[in-house]
Amino acid sequence: MSQAQNRPKVGLFATCLVDLFRPSVGFSSAKLIEEAGCDVHVPIAQTCCGQPAYNSGDTKDTRDLARQVIEQFEGFDYVVAPSGSCSAMLKKHYPDLFKGDPLWEERCRRFADKVFELVSFLADVRGMSQVKARLDKSVTYHDSCSGLRELGIAKQPRQLLATVEGLELKEMAGSDVCCGFGGTFCVKYPDISGKIVSKKTATIAESGADILLAGDMGCLMNMAGKLKREGSTIEVRHVAEVLAGMTDGRPIAGSGK
Amino acid sequence: MQFTAPQFKDNAARALADPQLQKALTNVEKGFIGKRAAAVAALPEFDALRDKGREIKNHTLAHLDLYLQAYERKVTESGGHVHWAESAEDARRLVLDICQRVGAKTVTKGKSMITEEINLNDFLFEHAIEPVETDLGEYIIQLRGEHPSHIIAPAVHLNKEQVEEDFRRVHTHLDPERDLTAPETLLSEARQVLRKRYFQADVGITGANFLIAETGTSVIVTNEGNGDLTQSLPKVHIVVASIEKLVPTLEDCSQILRLLARSATGQDISVYTTFSTGPRRTEDPDGPEEYHVILLDNGRTAMLGSEFQDMLRCIRCGACMNHCPVYHAVGGHAYGSVYPGPMGAVLTPSLFGVDISGHLPNASTFCGRCESVCPMHIPLPKMMRHWREREFEKHLNPATARYGLGVFAFIAKRPRLYRMATAIGARLLNLIGGSKGRITTLPFASGWTSIRDLPAPEAQTFTQQWAARQKQGA
């Protein structure tokens, strides 16, 4: 962790799902951010961005959590999260929560300007056009909804994946169609979520790829869980793991049937 | 129609288990999405038109009182009558009064979601007046005693074989040996049966896609021409429309028309776009003797100035439901309300109360595809979230969900406690996951594990591992 003067300081917002379920995504993200010429900091008190409360209509608790995140991260040059939906929460929805608040509106806007989703940060902010990684497998990439529609993330991950040596991208049909996760939706309406994710796993299988990638742990856990329930051997990983060349560990939900 | 939004979960379960319906629903995905995409791609100014459309509607809604008055003046000048209906009951009563005054026995109807909203057909039947739906889809579902499952394709939940069965059951005056295997034969049979009804009808009822303040004109778009026959053959034409259909000028209407069919069916424009201004004039070859417009509020003025005002821009193209993964999974009837899909998830609680339609704004993944295709830039997910906020404020969501949310927020707001809880959680789930790295059943998580395995975590959280590495490095 070099501390050169001109290296921007990046606060890594790991997201609660990465923190609890997939630490390797946190380490992959840190590696990539460093390769992009930045210093990585992980505020140890970070918890959750507040989406479960926000999407359940609980704005008071959401504001409390938002203030907590802003206080922990506003001192960094950038705030980066390996998730489209958590980044969009910090960048697009936090400002909505503090509209008209004399103390927090401006403070929140300044914070939100510094927030980026990981792959978009690497490609759009740091101008990364090449990664140092190798993977002799075929992959298919699912566009998670928030990253795609709220932050415009679609070509960046594909461009960087194209520079992974040995990797072949096999697009699935309807890669921009929701996987049925939807946060609390997937447990509030499991039957409907199950129907949507089973259509998704069918198109994933049809792509013929060895590995499924995406940029959001929620979607990945949903799709991986369904693939494994169906007995699929397709491996599932976060896109950061592949871009960082850190694919030695166990895939999400394990490997094999 | 029977309002079954409170039973959304049961409706959805039935829909998911219905192979006929599931087969029909694949047509929504296959049919509409590609056609809309091609139509949009072929019109470079489509996005500019969307901005313009939003601007026109926002302006109209900001001055709705003035435009409604101007519209009424113009309709009256052209010899028509405007009737104001605050509620569904008022609107039904107004329609009935006109029908009874002219001694109507039969009324033909062009497709109108507003008459579905006010449950007009049942009401007319109760008063010995027979309503006859003339749009093919509406005609089919009327034969079946059903209601539309889609706002522009009312019978999209049916397959051809089911329609054939219904025609054979109802059209008993026709040769039972006739061949109805080709879709065109069904169409031509419906035409033949309906043709007689147009001439019998005493009153024709249509909806309106637009009402133009500048000219006092009502506009309908159809692909079958049934609307034209409905409104020009009987001696009375009644337009039933809600107040947000207003646009200031003909030019404004033309602009939004360019968005409507492209967003709906991927056509450049519908086959028929019909402008009606007043009753038949002396020099006209045909047309109704009386022209009435019933303007329905039914909760809409209460939306003005609220966080749901943007919903009043909706032009009922159906693009949101055509692109909705939840609609694709369960179809329109599961929503249990006249308006299904994302637009219905916002509108239904506005019209009928969030206390009885709370499932609808909750049954969304917030994928945002609806908003991305909405020709009027309506922020549908945001407004569904507003309904969830109202529900939360009024303590309408289930106690278990509130409790779970409370525990989550309590812990997430206390980083030390959170670290402890997640450290224990990671260890525990890792143990349960074992060497497979996934969990097939878990108490209290059946919502997840009934459908899919739960990926097991590593034994330590990211922050734990990061802190340990920092220590080693230091």
Side-chain angles (χ1 to χ4, degrees):
Chain A
M1 250 127 284
S2 61
Q3 295 287 334
Q5 281 271 298
N6 54 353
R7 285 169 74 89
K9 285 194 176 71
V10 171
L12 176 59
F13 184 76
T15 80
C16 59
L17 290 179
V18 164
D19 183 42
L20 180 59
F21 285 96
R22 197 69 183 165
S24 54
V25 176
F27 290 109
S28 301
S29 304
K31 180 167 182 261
L32 287 163
I33 295 167
E34 288 192 347
E35 283 174 5
C38 307
D39 285 332
V40 178
H41 301 261
V42 180
I44 226 70
Q46 59 179 291
T47 66
C48 166
C49 69
Q51 277 188 88
Y54 186 51
N55 291 337
S56 303
D58 176 2
T59 44
K60 189 196 162 291
D61 281 325
T62 312
R63 275 194 201 97
D64 290 346
L65 286 169
R67 284 190 205 98
Q68 186 173 295
V69 173
I70 294 169
E71 281 166 352
Q72 288 166 356
F73 282 87
E74 66 190 340
F76 299 109
D77 299 317
Y78 296 105
V79 181
V80 173
S83 156
S85 79
C86 305
S87 310
M89 180 68 191
L90 271 52
K91 196 172 184 62
K92 302 276 175 173
H93 296 283
Y94 277 11
D96 276 354
L97 285 165
F98 294 109
K99 255 185 203 148
D101 183 323
L103 286 176
W104 284 87
E105 181 171 12
E106 177 58 19
R107 189 173 171 185
C108 179
R109 195 193 54 74
R110 278 200 306 272
F111 163 81
D113 286 346
K114 297 196 266 192
V115 175
F116 293 92
E117 183 274 343
L118 174 71
V119 183
S120 155
F121 176 72
L122 299 175
D124 302 334
V125 180
R126 302 301 296 168
M128 187 187 272
S129 58
Q130 180 95 36
V131 293
K132 295 168 228 143
R134 175 169 196 100
L135 184 67
D136 293 303
K137 296 265 177 71
S138 62
V139 304
T140 192
Y141 181 83
H142 165 75
D143 297 277
S144 289
C145 299
S146 295
L148 175 70
R149 299 197 180 86
E150 296 188 88
L151 302 172
I153 297 161
K155 62 175 198 305
Q156 303 93 323
R158 290 177 171 84
Q159 280 166 356
L160 287 179
L161 283 170
T163 69
V164 175
E165 263 182 83
L167 180 145
E168 183 196 356
L169 179 66
K170 293 181 172 174
E171 293 283 0
M172 68 177 95
S175 67
D176 63 336
V177 176
C178 180
C179 73
F181 172 62
T184 54
F185 171 85
C186 73
V187 289
K188 277 194 291 189
Y189 301 96
D191 304 353
I192 304 174
S193 175
K195 175 75 187 179
I196 300 173
V197 70
S198 64
K199 289 190 200 178
K200 184 50 97 176
T201 52
T203 56
I204 292 165
E206 280 162 22
S207 76
D210 306 319
I211 302 182
L212 165 69
L213 301 178
D216 274 78
M217 274 310 292
C219 317
L220 285 164
M221 289 173 66
N222 179 39
M223 294 183 288
K226 188 64 177 174
L227 283 166
K228 293 301 147 190
R229 180 63 59 90
E230 290 169 347
S232 168
T233 54
I234 295 170
E235 290 189 358
V236 181
R237 292 186 183 277
H238 191 285
V239 67
E241 299 171 43
V242 173
L243 295 179
M246 294 170 74
T247 49
D248 293 339
R250 187 161 72 183
I252 299 168
S255 52
K257 290 194 181 185
Chain B
M1 70 177 290
Q2 209 197 339
F3 188 82
T4 63
Q7 291 89 50
F8 173 79
K9 278 193 164 189
D10 296 335
N11 297 347
R14 256 199 315 281
L16 288 165
D18 180 345
Q20 282 271 22
L21 174 65
Q22 290 298 322
K23 188 172 158 232
L25 285 172
T26 59
N27 297 332
V28 178
E29 276 177 271
K30 280 189 214 140
F32 289 112
I33 294 175
K35 284 177 188 160
R36 176 198 170 272
V40 168
L43 190 72
E45 66 268 38
F46 188 79
D47 270 331
L49 274 171
R50 289 172 82 189
D51 296 343
K52 183 73 192 162
R54 170 171 56 189
E55 200 182 295
I56 291 169
K57 277 285 189 182
N58 280 350
H59 168 84
T60 315
L61 292 170
H63 306 282
L64 191 59
D65 49 348
L66 297 176
Y67 284 117
L68 283 166
Q69 285 170 5
Y71 171 76
E72 182 184 29
R73 217 161 36 239
K74 282 289 167 187
V75 173
T76 312
E77 274 172 31
S78 60
H81 304 274
V82 172
H83 311 265
W84 302 87
E86 198 180 326
S87 66
E89 170 62 31
D90 294 347
R92 287 192 295 262
R93 186 52 63 184
L94 285 162
V95 174
L96 182 67
D97 286 349
I98 297 168
C99 291
Q100 287 180 332
R101 179 171 52 74
V102 300
K105 295 276 179 295
T106 314
V107 304
T108 41
K109 290 182 68 214
K111 200 180 116 29
S112 151
M113 289 309 293
I114 294 295
T115 61
E116 296 285 347
E117 180 182 323
I118 65 171
N119 234 336
L120 182 64
N121 285 7
D122 290 347
F123 183 76
L124 290 177
F125 262 124
E126 284 163 23
H127 292 85
I129 295 167
E130 187 195 2
V132 180
E133 295 289 352
T134 63
D135 169 272
L136 178 59
E138 285 271 359
Y139 177 70
I140 293 164
I141 57 171
Q142 191 183 20
L143 294 185
R144 298 172 62 86
E146 291 182 348
H147 292 275
S149 67
H150 188 289
I151 59 172
I152 68 156
V156 76
H157 58 287
L158 298 172
N159 296 296
K160 189 172 65 68
E161 293 71 27
Q162 293 166 286
V163 178
E164 178 179 344
E165 223 169 85
D166 291 320
F167 278 18
R168 291 195 188 281
R169 175 174 56 81
V170 177
H171 301 160
T172 47
H173 62 291
L174 298 172
D175 178 9
E177 301 300 313
R178 68 195 185 282
D179 182 12
L180 285 175
T181 41
E184 302 76 46
T185 56
L186 293 169
L187 177 64
S188 100
E189 180 164 317
R191 272 216 172 116
Q192 190 189 329
V193 173
L194 282 171
R195 182 63 60 164
K196 288 188 197 124
R197 309 309 302 267
Y198 288 120
F199 290 104
Q200 289 166 353
D202 309 292
V203 172
I205 298 175
T206 67
N209 292 93
F210 303 96
L211 302 172
I212 303 172
E214 178 185 36
T215 54
T217 303
S218 57
V219 184
I220 56 167
V221 302
T222 72
N223 280 323
E224 300 166 24
N226 61 303
D228 294 20
L229 294 172
T230 299
Q231 67 182 36
S232 52
L233 292 177
K235 55 182 181 283
V236 179
H237 175 200
I238 303 175
V239 178
V240 188
S242 48
I243 53 174
E244 83 279 14
K245 297 287 171 197
L246 250 289
V247 289
T249 65
L250 262 172
E251 175 59 29
D252 294 329
C253 173
S254 316
Q255 299 252 13
I256 301 177
L257 273 171
R258 300 186 70 201
L259 290 163
L260 179 56
R262 288 182 170 91
S263 300
T265 53
Q267 293 165 287
D268 289 346
I269 191 156
S270 307
V271 178
Y272 299 87
T273 302
T274 309
F275 295 73
S276 309
T277 314
R280 176 183 187 172
R281 293 162 299 188
T282 43
E283 68 274 24
D284 290 341
D286 54 22
E289 292 163 24
E290 292 181 28
Y291 175 80
H292 298 270
V293 182
I294 292 166
L295 280 177
L296 178 71
D297 183 336
N298 209 23
R300 286 163 177 82
T301 47
M303 293 167 72
L304 286 170
S306 79
E307 65 261 63
F308 303 106
Q309 174 166 318
D310 290 346
M311 191 60 222
L312 297 174
R313 288 202 301 265
C314 178
I315 55 172
R316 307 291 191 267
C317 67
C320 59
M321 55 198 78
N322 292 343
H323 290 77
C324 176
V326 176
Y327 184 95
H328 293 160
V330 300
H333 284 155
Y335 293 81
S337 162
V338 59
Y339 300 108
M343 56 79 65
V346 176
L347 194 56
T348 302
S350 305
L351 302 182
F352 304 104
V354 73
D355 51 329
I356 53 168
S357 29
H359 272 303
L360 309 189
N362 276 285
S364 162
T365 66
F366 281 166
C367 80
R369 214 178 175 199
C370 50
E371 182 176 356
S372 75
V373 297
C374 175
M376 305 306 285
H377 284 303
I378 299 173
L380 291 154
K382 185 176 166 177
M383 285 188 290
M384 285 183 231
R385 189 183 295 106
H386 285 322
W387 278 124
R388 297 184 192 185
E389 286 162 11
R390 294 269 179 104
E391 260 196 315
F392 188 84
E393 284 159 19
K394 294 181 181 173
H395 292 253
L396 291 168
N397 44 351
T400 47
R402 292 187 76 84
Y403 180 73
L405 200 61
V407 171
F408 154 79
F410 184 86
I411 298 176
K413 285 196 268 184
R414 289 163 180 78
R416 259 169 216 245
L417 178 62
Y418 184 88
R419 296 265 76 83
M420 258 163 56
T422 50
I424 296 167
R427 170 71 36 118
L428 204 62
L429 291 173
N430 174 269
L431 281 174
I432 301 170
S435 61
K436 277 203 145 184
R438 55 184 177 264
I439 300 161
T440 47
T441 58
L442 193 65
F444 310 112
S446 63
W448 182 280
T449 55
S450 64
I451 300 298
R452 36 182 127 52
D453 293 350
L454 180 68
E458 292 173 21
Q460 285 196 317
T461 65
F462 172 63
T463 38
Q464 274 180 303
Q465 295 186 39
W466 181 271
R469 287 194 197 185
Q470 294 292 99
K471 226 178 236 172
Q472 279 171 3

